[in-house]
Amino acid sequence: MELRHLKYFISVAEELHFTRAAERLHIGQPPLSHAIQMLEADIGAQLFERSKRWVRLTEAGKLFLQDARHILALSEQASEKARRAQRGEMGELRIGFTFSTPFTPQFAAVINSYRQRYPDVTLTLREMATNKQLEALSQHNLDVGFMRPPEGGELARGVSSPLRFLKLREDQLVAVLPSTHALAKKKKVPMKDLAQEPFIMYPPSAGTGIYPNIQRLCRAAGFVPKVTQEANDASTIIGLVAAGCGISILPGSFYTIHFDGICYRPIADAGATTSLLLARRKGEVSPLVDAFVKLAGGLV
């Protein structure tokens, strides 16, 4: 059974006249009659009663007409969905983001703008550390990811990587200090002044991009950080600083977390920054991803 045969059948059923139906379909009457005969043979039922003066639907034809219309409507609906998906207007987009990403204005702007422009696309958002996102992207479990560059900076430059990156913003790294700390009096804090401080950090196993960055800055300042407490959540780290358990270093986007008893001071050293990147797979053809990345790029 072919869809065009259903269209032919519906035209004859609505016109109840083969000549008018053929004119409506812009085909000859003999091919139309032959197509209807083939359709009746395929389904094993007579759909029309015919005479030289009239054409009538059989009971089977009346029932089949309802389903034929429904099938054609579903076919058109499926085709339209496919066309919209091809244009990046429908489907599911799986987005990873690091712990600090929601505190950046770009993230909210991109997500809100995308939802308004493509309301029929389902966004699946997953909070994941940078290394976890890299793994998920390589395994096609994520489509795009908001992440921080890991150690060495190669990721940010896209060197020897199967991914492509769009830089969205540069964040100053800040020291998170108790408000009563002596260094809180300074406008900026040199890394060397933190050499004797107890650090509260993400654990290495968390796979964050900020961890190797902090280690690099400490080595450049001539010391290895004394990590006395680890936590997987930035708000927990900030709370532990407020409790006097130590100090920490976080991206400046966390300025938006106001917590009694703590203050933020920019790190004074050169290179004390971290980028927020949007990652996707190289060479992948995906209208959904293309539209999202284009929108994000326009908001940078």
Side-chain angles (χ1 to χ4, degrees), residues 20-282:
R20 289 197 299 268
E23 291 173 352
R24 171 175 159 182
L25 293 166
H26 304 292
I27 63 173
Q29 182 176 332
L32 176 59
S33 298
H34 180 65
I36 295 300
Q37 290 171 1
M38 289 180 60
L39 179 62
E40 290 177 323
D42 283 342
I43 64 177
Q46 183 179 349
L47 302 175
F48 295 103
E49 294 178 357
R50 307 164 177 85
S51 77
K52 292 182 179 181
R53 290 177 296 175
W54 48 259
V55 175
R56 286 199 292 257
L57 282 166
T58 64
E59 287 302 314
K62 293 176 183 178
L63 293 174
F64 188 72
L65 178 60
Q66 298 175 19
D67 289 335
R69 285 171 171 159
H70 183 57
I71 291 169
L72 284 184
L74 287 177
S75 172
E76 180 54 36
Q77 181 181 354
S79 298
E80 177 60 18
K81 284 184 177 180
R83 289 190 291 268
R84 294 191 66 194
Q86 180 65 29
R87 297 193 298 266
E89 298 174 0
M90 291 191 74
E92 179 188 14
L93 189 64
R94 300 162 300 174
I95 303 170
F97 62 94
T98 63
F99 313 115
S100 64
T101 302
F103 297 98
T104 63
Q106 284 87 349
F107 180 74
V110 172
I111 298 299
N112 282 325
S113 296
Y114 189 85
R115 284 189 184 279
Q116 291 172 13
R117 192 169 300 183
Y118 303 102
D120 294 323
V121 175
T122 300
L123 296 185
T124 302
L125 303 172
R126 301 175 183 172
E127 184 182 61
M128 304 172 71
T130 291
N131 287 350
K132 299 294 185 183
Q133 289 192 55
L134 294 175
E135 181 180 351
L137 281 165
S138 68
Q139 295 178 352
H140 291 252
N141 293 325
L142 279 183
D143 300 307
V144 293
F146 292 86
M147 62 180 64
R148 302 286 182 180
E151 189 172 10
E154 289 84 357
L155 179 61
R157 296 192 295 272
V159 176
S160 301
S161 171
L163 303 178
R164 184 186 303 166
F165 303 94
L166 172 66
K167 184 176 177 180
L168 299 179
R169 63 179 281 143
E170 189 84 8
D171 283 315
Q172 177 73 43
L173 291 178
V174 298
V176 187
L177 307 166
S179 300
T180 56
H181 198 288
L183 293 175
K185 298 176 181 178
K186 294 190 174 186
K187 291 184 177 181
K188 291 188 176 183
V189 176
M191 283 296 299
K192 62 181 179 62
D193 290 357
L194 301 176
Q196 301 305 315
E197 298 293 333
F199 274 70
I200 305 169
M201 294 178 61
Y202 292 112
S205 60
T208 64
I210 192 68
Y211 182 90
N213 206 358
I214 295 172
Q215 294 287 346
R216 174 183 59 80
L217 288 169
C218 290
R219 288 195 300 269
F223 71 96
V224 175
K226 296 185 294 184
V227 180
T228 58
Q229 188 76 41
E230 293 180 342
N232 286 298
D233 183 77
S235 59
T236 301
I237 291 175
I238 294 170
L240 290 172
V241 172
C245 298
I247 62 96
S248 191
I249 296 176
L250 292 172
S253 54
F254 284 114
Y255 272 130
T256 55
I257 297 183
H258 301 286
F259 210 110
D260 290 340
I262 64 103
C263 65
Y264 302 95
R265 295 292 181 267
I267 299 296
D269 300 51
T273 61
T274 181
S275 301
L276 179 63
L277 309 171
L278 183 62
R280 64 172 297 180
R281 285 178 289 275
K282 281 183 181 176

